[in-house]
C-alpha cells in the first residue's frame, strides 16, 4: 500500500515537473534592452517610382503565445501569410510568396504533429493577386526570400521562370530538404545566389545593395534558418521598412523584447541564439530609428500601413 502511494507521487512529479517547465517557457521573460544603434545611417536615393505593396495571401489561426513569450494562450491572433511587392524601375521584386495556389496539397507534406495544431485560411495566392491587379508578369525581376520555410515559398511554382534569390547558406539548407520546407516538392526553380559584399549596414555585419541606390538592401540574419535575411526598403518619401521574415513572428517580439517560447524556438529555429542576436540588432535599431517600419512576415498589423496590391497602379 505504502509502495503504491510512493509510486503515485513519483509519477505525479514526473508528469508535473516537465509540464511546469514547458509552461514556464511560455512565461514573459524580456531580453535586456540593448543600447541604441550608434553607427551611421547610410543615405538612400530610391528612384521616384520605388514603391512597396502588401500581398496578404491568407492567415494562420494562432494564439499570441505561439508568437512570443508572455503572449496569452487564449488570445487569438491571425498570423499573416504574406509577401510584399517592391516596385523599382530596374526590376520589381517579390519578397516571399506567402501561400500559393497548391497550399492545400503541399500542406499534407508537413509533419503530422504540426498539421494537427495548424489551421489556416487561403485568401488569394500572390500570383492571382498580381493578375487581378493587372500586373505585367514580365515586370517581376525576381523573388527574394527572407528564408525557405513552407509558408514563405508555397507560391514559388506559381511564378515559372522567375529567378529565386537566396544566400548560399539558404540554398544549402534548401538542398538538405528540411521537413518544414516545400522546395523539395518543386522542380525547375531557378535559384540564384548572392553574397554580402557591401560591408556593415545598420548594425548588421554585411549587406547587399540590390540596385546600388539604397532602395533595397539585404542583410544576413541567420538563426531561424541558416540563410535567413532581413530586407530593408527605402521609399522616396523617406519611409523605411525592415522586412524581418521570421526573426520574430509578432511585433511584440520587438516591442516587448520577447523571444518565442522554448518549445517553439526548439522546433522552429535552427540556431535560436543566432536568432536572438539578430532580434537584439533590430531592437537596437528601432531604438535609434523609431520611425522604421518593422514588418514580421506573420504580423498582420505590420502590413496595415502598407498599401495593398489592389490599390497599386501596376502598369
Ligand atoms: Zn520560418
Ligand atoms: Zn514563417
Amino acid at each position: 500500500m505504502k509502495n503504491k502511494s510512493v509510486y503515485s507521487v513519483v509519477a505525479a512529479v514526473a508528469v508535473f515537473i516537465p509540464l511546469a517547465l514547458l509552461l514556464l517557457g511560455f512565461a514573459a521573460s524580456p531580453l535586456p534592452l540593448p543600447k541604441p544603434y550608434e553607427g551611421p545611417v547610410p543615405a538612400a536615393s530610391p528612384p521616384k517610382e520605388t514603391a512597396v505593396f502588401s500581398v496578404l495571401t491568407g492567415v494562420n489561426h494562432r494564439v499570441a503565445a505561439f508568437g512570443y513569450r508572455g503572449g496569452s494562450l487564449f488570445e487569438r491572433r491571425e498570423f499573416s501569410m504574406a509577401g510584399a511587392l517592391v516596385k523599382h524601375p530596374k526590376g520589381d521584386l517579390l519578397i516571399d510568396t506567402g501561400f500559393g495556389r497548391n497550399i492545400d496539397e503541399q500542406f499534407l507534406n508537413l509533419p503530422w504533429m504540426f498539421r494537427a495544431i495548424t489551421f489556416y485560411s487561403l485568401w488569394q495566392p500572390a500570383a492571382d493577386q498580381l493578375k487581378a491587379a493587372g500586373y505585367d508578369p514580365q515586370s517581376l525581376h525576381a523573388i527574394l526570400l527572407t528564408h525557405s520555410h513552407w509558408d514563405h515559398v508555397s507560391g514559388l511554382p506559381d511564378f515559372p521562370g522567375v529567378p529565386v534569390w537566396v544566400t548560399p547558406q539558404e540554398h544549402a539548407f534548401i538542398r538538405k530538404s528540411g521537413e518544414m520546407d516545400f522546395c523539395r516538392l518543386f522542380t525547375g526553380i531557378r535559384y540564384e545566389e548572392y553574397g554580402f559584399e557591401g560591408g556593415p549596414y545598420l548594425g548588421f555585419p554585411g549587406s547587399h545593395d540590390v540596385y546600388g541606390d539604397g532602395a533595397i538592401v539585404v542583410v544576413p540574419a541567420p538563426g531561424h534558418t541558416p540563410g535567413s535575411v532581413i530586407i530593408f526598403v527605402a521609399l522616396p518619401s523617406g519611409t523605411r521598412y525592415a522586412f524581418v521574415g521570421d526573426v520574430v513572428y509578432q511585433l511584440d517580439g520587438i516591442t516587448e523584447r520577447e523571444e518565442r517560447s522554448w518549445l517553439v524556438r526548439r522546433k522552429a529555429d535552427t540556431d535560436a541564439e543566432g536568432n536572438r542576436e539578430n532580434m537584439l540588432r533590430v531592437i537596437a535599431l528601432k531604438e535609434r530609428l523609431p520611425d522604421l517600419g518593422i514588418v514580421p512576415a506573420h504580423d498582420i498589423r505590420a502590413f496595415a500601413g502598407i498599401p495593398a496590391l489592389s490599390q497599386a497602379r501596376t502598369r
Side-chain angles (χ1 to χ4, degrees):
M1 193 65 186
K2 199 178 168 193
N3 266 355
K4 206 175 164 193
S5 55
V6 169
Y7 283 134
S8 356
V9 170
V10 170
V13 167
V15 171
F16 177 76
I17 291 182
L19 191 68
L21 285 173
L22 192 70
L23 287 175
L24 204 63
F26 284 90
S29 177
L31 297 172
L33 181 66
K35 274 204 314 192
Y37 166 70
E38 286 173 341
V41 178
S45 41
K48 63 179 189 326
E49 299 89 347
T50 312
V52 63
F53 298 98
S54 65
V55 185
L56 292 168
T57 63
V59 287
N60 213 337
H61 310 285
R62 296 276 188 216
V63 291
F66 190 84
Y68 61 99
R69 296 190 65 161
S72 165
L73 280 159
F74 305 101
E75 184 193 335
R76 290 185 182 190
R77 291 264 175 115
E78 304 283 42
F79 279 31
S80 48
M81 300 284 128
L85 180 73
V86 185
K87 289 192 64 67
H88 189 287
K90 287 190 177 164
D92 301 347
L93 299 181
L94 182 64
I95 298 175
D96 293 345
T97 70
F99 287 156
R101 290 172 181 148
N102 298 318
I103 180 63
D104 294 342
E105 219 172 286
Q106 295 163 349
F107 185 72
L108 300 175
N109 292 280
L110 292 170
W112 71 267
M113 280 253 281
F114 183 77
R115 278 186 282 140
I117 56 156
T118 300
F119 305 92
Y120 65 87
S121 302
L122 170 66
W123 291 350
Q124 191 178 31
D128 295 342
Q129 287 189 41
L130 263 64
K131 208 172 161 193
Y135 182 82
D136 176 4
Q138 297 295 323
S139 311
L140 189 59
H141 189 52
I143 296 171
L144 177 53
L145 294 180
T146 60
H147 65 296
S148 59
H149 277 157
W150 68 287
D151 42 342
H152 301 256
V153 302
S154 162
L156 290 185
D158 305 340
F159 295 93
V162 178
V164 177
W165 289 354
V166 286
T167 60
Q169 293 81 359
E170 198 67 359
H171 199 181
F173 186 60
I174 287 170
R175 285 203 200 91
K176 268 171 61 187
S177 297
E179 57 179 10
M180 297 308 290
D181 174 9
F182 284 161
C183 293
R184 67 185 186 281
L185 309 174
F186 309 153
T187 49
I189 306 276
R190 212 170 88 218
Y191 296 104
E192 289 179 3
E193 295 182 3
Y194 61 91
F196 298 107
E197 67 295 325
Y201 185 86
L202 297 178
F204 292 84
S207 61
H208 174 66
D209 186 341
V210 173
Y211 293 125
D213 54 13
I216 308 163
V217 180
V218 191
V219 300
H224 180 58
T225 65
S228 284
V229 299
I230 291 174
I231 300 153
F232 288 95
V233 176
L235 298 181
S237 60
T239 300
R240 282 182 193 245
Y241 290 106
F243 289 89
V244 301
D246 285 0
V247 170
V248 291
Y249 283 162
Q250 297 280 283
L251 281 168
D252 313 64
I254 302 300
T255 55
E256 307 296 312
R257 305 193 307 277
E258 290 286 3
E259 293 180 277
R260 289 182 265 272
S261 71
W262 174 82
L263 186 66
V264 178
R265 286 203 306 273
R266 201 181 142 78
K267 288 310 239 180
D269 300 336
T270 53
D271 169 16
E273 276 181 35
N275 191 64
R276 180 184 307 143
E277 210 174 297
N278 288 308
M279 261 181 84
L280 288 168
R281 287 188 173 120
V282 175
I283 294 165
L285 188 57
K286 184 74 177 165
E287 287 292 306
R288 165 79 180 274
L289 303 174
D291 292 336
L292 175 70
I294 310 284
V295 190
H298 300 311
D299 196 316
I300 203 160
R301 299 165 299 181
F303 287 91
I306 304 176
L309 189 58
S310 53
Q311 294 162 251
R313 284 186 304 151
T314 49
R315 268 183 279 214

